[in-house]
Amino acid sequence: MKFGGRRAALLAGALYLTGCSIERTGPTQHESQTVDRDSSELVRVNLDMGAGTLRIAGGTDKLAAADFHYNVPSWKPEVRYSSTGGQGTLTIGQPGHGSSSRGHTENEWDVRLNREVPLEVEVHLGAGEAHLELGALSLRKVDVEMGAGQLDLDLRGTPTASYEVRVQGGVGEATIRVPSSVGVDANVTGGLGEVSATGLHHEGSRYFNDALAGSKVAIHLDVQGGVGSIRLIGY
């Protein structure tokens, strides 16, 4: 089932389920925000998006740099950062989850994160598309929850420390790309959907690569799908 061409329907469905106030769409707003890097030794990044298209990648000297496009006024993203005891927390949220809208909606986030700062990344997306190029980041943990839509999670890179990844999908497609140079050990369960894997060995619900046996660094995945397909690509 392809969801890339059904973004408008997914947005409308998610907003209908919230069942609250109705707002008219307006002119598309464009905003850019940055968060300076500080001395935090670990930063937790929380992204909470009701519906739309989310892109995350590396590529900034700041802690974070983000571009937002939206045409429902109440969907203006809120960016907050705080740090204490050497640990930072960056939160980017969509405040207007409870409002539906009339007309064609637009909501796109393009978030770039620092590649050097150790990160714990948590993503919540109600409906839409998530394109997460995280493999070049200094990951310590990844947690992704999707309601309905399409997920493309790219973990290819050369991590220097092991980390855990949890992916929970509702309705839609999930494609997860993993490196072959470090160990990968995944437990994948797919509700009512299809599970396929390329470049990985398969024993029941467990998928692993050749590098796992001799690698000091490993990526441990727990993937749970609802209705849809899950694809693991290991090269």
Side-chain angles (χ1 to χ4, degrees):
M1 184 183 298
K2 293 290 185 182
F3 281 85
R6 300 184 180 179
R7 182 170 61 188
L10 291 168
L11 292 174
L15 294 170
Y16 174 80
L17 291 174
T18 62
C20 293
S21 61
I22 298 176
E23 288 193 52
R24 293 186 180 274
T25 58
T28 299
Q29 304 295 318
H30 172 238
E31 294 188 10
S32 296
Q33 295 195 42
T34 61
V35 178
D36 289 333
R37 180 178 176 180
D38 60 14
S39 59
S40 295
E41 299 175 356
L42 175 70
V43 174
R44 295 184 175 91
V45 180
N46 304 308
L47 296 107
D48 187 2
M49 188 181 204
T53 300
L54 172 64
R55 298 180 180 88
I56 305 176
T60 179
D61 292 333
K62 305 281 187 177
L63 175 61
D67 292 308
F68 306 110
H69 294 81
Y70 59 93
N71 68 347
V72 178
S74 67
W75 291 0
K76 178 179 179 179
E78 295 179 347
V79 179
R80 300 186 302 274
Y81 180 73
S82 62
S83 180
T84 181
Q87 294 190 354
T89 299
L90 170 64
T91 300
I92 303 177
Q94 178 186 331
H97 281 206
S99 64
S100 59
S101 60
R102 293 175 179 173
H104 173 73
T105 58
E106 296 182 25
N107 196 29
E108 298 185 7
W109 297 2
D110 187 348
V111 181
R112 297 171 303 284
L113 299 173
N114 190 286
R115 292 190 175 102
E116 299 176 358
V117 178
L119 301 173
E120 294 183 354
V121 179
E122 183 172 334
V123 174
H124 298 270
L125 177 58
E129 301 177 15
H131 305 277
L132 313 180
E133 298 180 17
L134 306 183
L137 304 177
S138 297
L139 298 173
R140 297 298 179 263
K141 184 179 180 181
V142 177
D143 195 336
V144 179
E145 290 188 3
M146 289 280 296
Q150 178 180 328
L151 169 65
D152 190 345
L153 174 59
D154 193 341
L155 299 173
R156 291 173 297 180
T158 54
T160 58
S162 299
Y163 63 91
E164 296 185 356
V165 179
R166 186 182 75 92
V167 176
Q168 184 171 352
V171 180
E173 291 183 339
T175 300
I176 302 172
R177 308 171 198 275
V178 295
S180 59
S181 58
V182 299
V184 173
D185 191 5
N187 183 65
V188 182
T189 54
L192 301 179
E194 176 187 2
V195 179
S196 63
T198 303
L200 298 166
H201 303 289
H202 177 207
E203 294 180 357
S205 62
R206 184 181 178 226
Y207 297 80
F208 57 95
N209 64 0
D210 289 331
L212 182 64
S215 179
K216 295 182 179 180
V217 174
I219 302 173
H220 302 277
L221 294 101
D222 181 13
V223 183
Q224 301 176 18
V227 179
S229 64
I230 298 171
R231 290 196 305 155
L232 279 177
I233 301 176
Y235 58 83

